[in-house]
Amino acid sequence: MPPVRSITTAADRLTIVLNDGVERTILASQIPATQNTVAKVETYLNNIWRPTFLAGRCVMEVHVFSLNPLRVNVWTSNTGLTPPANWWVK
């Protein structure tokens, strides 16, 4: 089972809490201004933000639906698994 206790989203933030109590929140205002499209924000969250605290612990993918308000869907699994194609629509 992935070490994720909870995932909380709001109009301006995404918060991940791990089973060991580690909590990471990113506010929409913390995303660099150059990341100004849905695709760029999704790439930023998956390739820059997430690996800083989850590397090697589990697999997580974020799919961004909109920027303002920030709307996302999150997929988690144990290490070694890969999210299926278009997992956010299934």
Side-chain angles (χ1 to χ4, degrees), residues 29-60:
S29 62
Q30 294 173 310
I31 299 170
T34 56
Q35 309 304 310
N36 54 6
T37 67
V38 167
K40 287 181 180 179
V41 170
E42 186 171 303
T43 299
Y44 176 81
L45 292 174
N46 285 318
N47 297 327
I48 306 297
W49 180 70
R50 177 201 50 169
T52 62
F53 69 96
L54 277 181
R57 299 178 82 175
C58 72
V59 178
M60 183 177 93

Side-chain angles (χ1 to χ4, degrees), residues 64-85:
V64 178
F65 291 100
S66 71
L67 299 181
N68 191 8
L70 181 62
R71 296 285 186 239
V72 301
N73 201 351
V74 181
W75 182 88
T76 63
S77 77
N78 292 323
T79 57
L81 298 176
T82 304

